[in-house]
Structure formats: C-alpha cells, structure tokens
C-alpha cells in the first residue's frame, strides 16, 4: 500500500497569514504516461463530510477560493492557504488515487486552527 | 443537484452483519462516468477507504476488509449498498458514501477521486 504521511499533525496560524500543510507518499504517485500526479486534498469542517478542494495535486475545484493552492510532484506535496480566514478552520487530508487496481489511501489529517 | 443519503441501523451487535444503503438523487448510479465508494471514519480519527463499485461491473475492496465486505447496487432504487460481516468494536465509525469522478485507461490506470460525499451514517457496535 502507498502510505501517505502529513505534517504537521496540527497547525495554528494567525488570521491573514499563510498556512502550509505537507503530504509525503511512500512511493511516487506521478504517472509517467500522462505526467499527472494522482493526489487530492480534502477539507473537513467539524460535523461535516470531507469536501474536495484540489485534484491532480494542483487543480482547484470549482468554487474553491483561490487562496487555496496545491503544489508538488512525485512523493512530496503541499497545500497552501495564502491568507487564512476564520472559515478555513478544519482538518485537511491528502489522498492518493494512483494505485491500480484501486487501493485508495489517505493521510492521517492535519488540524488547522487559528492562533 | 446531487445528493447522497446514507442510512442504516445505527447500532449493530458484535459478530453480526452491518447493512448500509446510500440513496443517490440528482444523478444516476448507472452512469459510466462515475465510481461509487464507501469510506469510514472512526470517531475522532482519519479516513479509511472501504471499497468502490463501478456500474460497468467492477468492484474493488480494501484488502484489509475484503473478506468481510460486499458492495452492491439496486438500479431500480438508484442506491448503493454496503454489507460488512462479523463486525467488532473496531468497525464503529461514521460511514460515508461518495461519488468518484475520473477515468480509466490501460495507460493511465484507475484515476478516480472522491468529488462528492454524503453526510454519513453513524454505526455503533455494542451488545
């Protein structure tokens, strides 16, 4: 299985400041045939289901504010919130969908709070 | 507007079988564009993929649960069902149904991620 490891486990950032969450996969999730990284980011607010923010490591979903961005390739990825808003308090998960046949795995989550 | 609504018994006894259903509205489970997946989340913990179903005839399961899990669909009711046998306390969780979007090709594999989630159904395991 591909193990996804996020860092840090929790993070406190001041309003308006940048928040950075890292995700590392135990093997590359870059598909050489199409040069795509099979990695997604989700946001889970308290009492809610996860919400897809980013697919293909850097493609923001429709309606997701542009302060959210994803970057990275291969085994190392980053979710960045450029200017933290109060509504961004949540747990963030990365997930790989590289494995064939499917064996999807998630990171353990990073809890983001306001400092 | 797509809606996914999970439902189930809420409380299951140890060693018994859990049955959950996910009613899909605003979309068709028969669409060739999507997979339909189940994911669970123990209280206060992270996400674990259980399995996924593709109407074209493929079903995929997490190897750690494969011997106890079955996913099926009822196209007449537009619903996806999950069966988990021989439950233990470790199976207590919030169970989510989710739509998966993406594609499959021999050159790029099964590229499906979870683009829409239901609210979840809470399952407690206790005698």
């Amino acid at each position: 299985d591909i193990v996804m490891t996020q860092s840090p486990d929790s993070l406190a950032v001041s309003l308006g400041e940048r928040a950075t969450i890292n995700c590392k996969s135990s093997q590359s999730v870059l598909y050489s045939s199409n040069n795509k990284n099979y990695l997604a980011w989700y946001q889970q607010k308290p009492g809610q289901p996860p919400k897809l923010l980013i697919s293909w490591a850097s493609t923001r979903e429709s309606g997701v504010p542009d302060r959210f961005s994803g970057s990275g390739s291969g085994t190392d990825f980053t979710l960045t919130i450029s200017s933290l808003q109060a509504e961004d308090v949540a747990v963030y998960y990365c997930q790989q969908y590289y494995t064939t046949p499917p064996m999807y795995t998630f990171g353990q989550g990073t809890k983001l709070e306001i400092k | 507007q797509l809606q996914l609504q999970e439902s189930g018994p809420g409380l299951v006894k140890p060693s018994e079988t859990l049955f959950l259903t996910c009613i899909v509205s605003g979309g068709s489970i028969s669409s060739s564009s999507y997979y339909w997946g189940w994911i669970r989340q123990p209280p206060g913990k992270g996400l674990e993929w259980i399995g996924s179903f593709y109407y074209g005839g493929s079903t995929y399961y997490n190897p750690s649960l494969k011997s106890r899990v079955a996913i099926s669909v009822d196209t007449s009711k537009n619903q996806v069902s999950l069966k988990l046998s021989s439950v233990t306390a470790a199976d207590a969780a919030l169970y989510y149904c989710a739509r998966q979007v993406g594609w499959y090709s021999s050159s790029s594999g099964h590229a499906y991620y979870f683009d829409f989630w239901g609210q979840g159904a809470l399952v407690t395991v206790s005698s």
Side-chain angles (χ1 to χ4, degrees):
Chain A
D1 299 352
I2 298 178
V3 177
M4 309 300 290
T5 303
Q6 293 180 225
S7 61
D9 289 334
S10 62
L11 180 64
V13 175
S14 300
L15 290 172
E17 296 298 305
R18 179 185 300 262
T20 301
I21 298 170
N22 301 300
C23 174
K24 187 174 185 67
S25 57
S26 60
Q27 66 184 73
S28 176
V29 297
L30 173 64
Y31 229 97
S32 57
S33 63
N34 57 17
N35 201 36
K36 283 185 172 292
N37 288 285
Y38 287 33
L39 184 111
W41 287 97
Y42 302 87
Q43 174 193 63
Q44 186 177 33
K45 296 182 178 180
Q48 296 185 19
K51 173 189 173 184
L52 176 66
L53 294 177
I54 288 170
S55 58
W56 306 112
S58 60
T59 301
R60 203 167 38 244
E61 290 299 296
S62 174
V64 174
D66 60 7
R67 63 179 180 273
F68 290 90
S69 64
S71 62
S73 184
T75 61
D76 293 281
F77 301 90
T78 300
L79 174 69
T80 301
I81 307 172
S82 60
S83 177
L84 188 70
Q85 305 299 304
E87 61 264 33
D88 301 334
V89 169
V91 178
Y92 293 84
Y93 295 93
C94 62
Q95 178 240 328
Q96 64 80 18
Y97 46 101
Y98 176 89
T99 315
T100 292
M103 176 52 213
Y104 308 109
T105 49
F106 295 85
Q108 80 277 17
T110 295
K111 185 175 184 179
L112 177 59
E113 299 173 313
I114 305 295
K115 184 186 292 184
Chain B
Q1 180 180 352
L2 181 68
Q3 292 188 37
L4 306 178
Q5 182 62 59
E6 304 92 340
S7 62
L11 177 65
V12 183
K13 291 183 169 61
S15 79
E16 293 190 344
T17 296
L18 167 67
F19 292 93
L20 293 171
T21 60
C22 172
I23 296 176
V24 178
S25 57
S28 172
I29 62 170
S30 305
S31 171
S32 61
S33 300
Y34 305 112
Y35 282 16
W36 302 91
W38 286 95
I39 305 98
R40 69 181 183 179
Q41 184 173 37
K45 296 189 178 181
L47 300 163
E48 179 183 35
W49 173 68
I50 300 170
S52 296
F53 180 91
Y54 175 57
Y55 184 71
S58 303
T59 310
Y60 305 98
Y61 300 117
N62 188 322
S64 69
L65 299 168
K66 188 174 183 177
S67 63
R68 299 194 292 129
V69 174
I71 295 175
S72 60
V73 296
D74 184 333
T75 55
S76 67
K77 298 179 180 178
N78 213 38
Q79 70 180 37
V80 183
S81 297
L82 172 72
K83 183 178 80 169
L84 180 65
S85 61
S86 305
V87 300
T88 70
D91 296 311
L94 189 57
Y95 284 74
Y96 292 105
C97 170
R99 187 180 74 176
Q100 293 176 250
V101 65
W103 68 79
Y104 169 77
S105 73
S106 58
S107 61
S108 61
H110 292 266
Y112 285 85
Y113 52 90
F114 304 96
D115 74 323
F116 192 87
W117 300 58
Q119 291 297 311
L122 184 63
V123 173
T124 301
V125 179
S126 175
S127 55

